[in-house]
């Protein structure tokens, strides 16, 4: 009898079911047990594969998308890459309006997946016609048969994580999770995952990570958007200068802010201690864990899951470049591995 060929039907079948890995060295001496959910194991190397796939399949199911339709989005890179990947496999065109803060690597990657990319200035307000929101809106109006994903205001963003990330973590921890630490950008990851987990056990603590220069933490505390909180920062994908609909603030117990510098060093330290080569926001999430440990958030019974949203390879010209670190004033030789030049 012929043996069956063991192959996925397409790359899209590999989305989700990402591994959970116990952290040891970096959290040595901390109270409790710590686990990283490695979203870089998605085929597009980030958590955004989940929402790209889910939102597009919802649009197909409701008849919004037809063969040859165009998918439009604003993105810091990861969502764009995932949308481009899903679009290629499913036969759609993909147009992406990105912030000039995105790394060159990310922009080149989007183009390599067949997407058309518009690079827009990062430090203009959301209602400025040059902002990536306004550029995407205009392209949507001008392109017949297009859909605008609008991840910050799309309820399917939360739902994707409610249906996948939440159940996976619950199952992987055998229901023993006590704390979730997750970065908040659109808020889809933390809100959807939290909603599922709190339905299983309302005592699970949901801890959101925000950037200095973002309004999320203050809004969570006051329910008012304080424009004085807004100023430029370097971490991509974390924090916001507006209040996204895709964030369910009621599911989050508290936010904690982290600096660009400490997050960059923490991401580098993850590689050197755990062998996990991760993105800038994974460093931010671990920096938040460090601060929470110092504050006494955890005890010996804590089982803490930390979401690592993407892979380090996306940041070669940023946090993994000594030159970039030096330019930011972040460089510290005791924090990096060594290079020995061998004479030729
Ligand atoms: N980290 C990175 C690298 C991201 O691109 C994003 C998404 N903007 C996040 C974290 C935050 O995820 P979410 O949008 O689901 O809040």
């Amino acid at each position: 009898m012929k043996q069956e060929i063991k192959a996925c039907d397409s790359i899209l079948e590999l989305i989700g079911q990402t591994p959970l890995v116990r952290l040891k060295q970096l959290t040595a001496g901390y109270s409790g047990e710590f686990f990283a959910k490695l979203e870089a194991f998605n085929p597009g190397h980030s958590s955004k594969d989940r929402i790209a796939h889910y939102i597009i399949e919802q649009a197909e199911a409701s008849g919004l998308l037809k063969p040859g339709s165009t998918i439009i989005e604003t993105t810091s890179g990861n969502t764009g890459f995932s949308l481009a990947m899903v679009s290629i496999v499913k036969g759609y065109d993909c147009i992406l309006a990105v912030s000039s803060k995105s790394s060159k690597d990310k922009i080149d990657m989007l183009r390599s997946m067949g997407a058309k990319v518009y690079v827009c200035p990062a430090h203009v307000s959301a209602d400025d016609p040059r902002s990536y929101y306004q550029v995407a809106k205009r392209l949507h109006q001008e392109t017949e048969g297009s859909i605008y994903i609008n991840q910050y205001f799309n309820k399917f963003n939360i739902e994707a994580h409610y249906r996948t990330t939440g159940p996976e973590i619950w199952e992987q921890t055998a229901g023993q999770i006590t704390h979730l630490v997750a970065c908040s950008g659109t808020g889809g990851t933390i809100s959807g995952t939290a909603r599922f987990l709190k339905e299983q056990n309302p005592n699970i603590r949901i801890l959101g990570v925000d950037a200095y220069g973002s309004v999320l933490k203050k809004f969570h505390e006051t329910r008012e958007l304080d424009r004085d909180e807004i100023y430029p920062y370097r971490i991509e994908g974390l924090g916001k200068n507006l209040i996204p609909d895709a964030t369910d603030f009621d599911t989050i117990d508290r936010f904690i802010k982290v600096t660009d510098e400490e997050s960059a060093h923490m991401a580098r330290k993850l590689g050197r201690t755990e062998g996990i080569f991760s993105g800038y926001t994974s460093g931010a999430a671990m920096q938040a864990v460090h601060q929470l440990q110092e504050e006494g958030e955890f005890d010996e019974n804590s089982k803490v899951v930390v979401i690592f949203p993407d892979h380090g390879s996306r940041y070669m010209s940023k946090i993994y470049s000594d030159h970039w670190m030096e330019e930011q004033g972040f460089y510290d030789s005791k924090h990096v591995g060594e290079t020995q030049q061998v004479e030729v």
Side-chain angles (χ1 to χ4, degrees):
M1 208 174 87
K2 257 195 185 170
Q3 277 200 323
E4 228 181 285
I5 293 175
K6 293 194 181 91
C8 293
D9 192 43
S10 85
I11 195 86
L12 304 185
E13 271 183 24
L14 296 171
I15 295 174
Q17 298 299 340
T18 55
L20 194 67
V21 176
R22 183 184 291 277
L23 299 173
K24 289 181 182 150
Q25 295 224 50
L26 193 57
T27 51
Y30 288 17
S31 313
E33 294 170 66
F34 295 81
F35 304 88
K37 176 87 169 148
L38 301 185
E39 290 295 290
F41 276 69
N42 283 298
H45 301 162
S46 88
S47 54
K48 294 297 180 176
D49 282 4
R50 297 176 187 271
I51 71 160
H53 193 222
Y54 190 75
I55 293 173
I56 288 176
E57 298 223 312
Q58 292 300 316
E60 284 173 337
S62 65
L64 274 173
L65 279 177
K66 303 197 173 53
S69 289
T70 301
I71 288 161
I72 298 177
E73 181 53 329
T74 54
T75 171
S76 67
N78 282 331
T79 304
F81 188 85
S82 300
L83 285 170
M85 182 183 80
V86 178
S87 300
I88 284 287
V89 175
K90 287 179 169 284
Y92 302 118
D93 288 333
C94 185
I95 297 182
L96 303 166
V98 312
S99 153
S100 55
K101 216 164 65 162
S102 306
S103 67
K104 183 177 176 298
D105 297 349
K106 280 189 176 178
I107 293 168
D108 286 345
M109 273 199 301
L110 300 177
R111 291 172 43 238
S112 74
M113 281 272 142
K116 192 168 175 188
V117 185
Y118 290 73
V119 182
C120 311
H123 305 309
V124 295
S125 70
D127 50 13
D128 188 298
R130 295 164 299 167
S131 79
Y132 51 97
Y133 306 107
Q134 300 305 330
V135 169
K137 260 192 212 159
R138 176 173 59 78
L139 291 169
H140 175 43
Q141 280 156 10
E142 288 171 4
T143 313
E144 214 182 306
S146 65
I147 67 159
Y148 178 26
I149 299 288
N150 206 3
Q151 60 171 334
Y152 285 90
F153 296 92
N154 192 322
K155 70 173 173 55
F156 294 128
N157 178 354
I158 293 189
E159 212 174 286
H161 292 285
Y162 174 81
R163 288 182 184 273
T164 67
T165 321
E168 285 172 33
I169 291 174
W170 183 251
E171 200 201 305
Q172 286 169 317
T173 60
Q176 294 174 44
I177 175 174
T178 59
H179 298 74
L180 176 78
V181 178
C183 292
S184 205
T186 65
T189 307
I190 191 165
S191 309
T193 307
R195 199 177 280 175
F196 181 86
L197 292 174
K198 289 230 174 189
E199 277 176 14
Q200 316 309 309
N201 174 3
N203 297 325
I204 296 172
R205 294 270 292 160
I206 307 297
L207 308 162
V209 185
D210 190 20
Y212 285 98
S214 153
V215 296
L216 300 179
K217 180 175 189 286
K218 184 85 177 275
F219 181 82
H220 183 250
E221 288 157 6
T222 63
R223 299 295 152 137
E224 273 172 37
L225 195 162
D226 181 355
R227 297 213 162 269
D228 289 344
E229 292 283 297
I230 303 173
Y231 51 88
Y233 57 91
R234 298 175 186 84
I235 312 179
E236 297 161 38
L238 170 62
K240 209 60 216 165
N241 56 1
L242 52 76
I243 305 304
D245 267 6
T247 309
D248 178 355
F249 285 88
D250 294 336
T251 62
I252 301 165
D253 290 296
R254 65 175 284 202
F255 273 99
I256 183 149
K257 284 202 179 198
V258 293
T259 66
D260 289 338
E261 180 167 6
E262 286 172 315
S263 303
H265 283 301
M266 193 58 98
R268 285 176 159 227
K269 206 169 167 187
L270 265 167
R272 292 195 327 275
T273 54
E274 305 286 344
I276 299 174
F277 187 49
S278 63
Y280 204 165
T281 53
S282 306
M286 278 317 293
Q287 176 58 28
V289 167
H290 177 70
Q291 291 170 209
L292 289 161
Q293 161 67 23
E294 301 273 290
E295 285 179 22
E297 173 73 38
F298 312 121
D299 63 31
E300 70 274 21
N301 298 319
S302 296
K303 307 250 185 308
V304 184
V305 173
V306 191
I307 298 192
F308 285 9
D310 69 354
H311 195 256
S313 57
R314 300 228 156 130
Y315 304 89
M316 291 313 296
S317 57
K318 295 211 163 173
I319 56 171
Y320 294 109
S321 153
D322 291 349
H323 177 68
W324 185 86
M325 291 289 277
E326 215 163 334
E327 267 179 359
Q328 315 308 311
F330 293 173
Y331 190 75
D332 181 344
S333 60
K334 69 178 184 294
H335 284 294
V336 291
E338 279 179 35
T339 314
Q340 292 280 351
Q341 201 65 51
V342 177
E343 294 295 330
V344 286

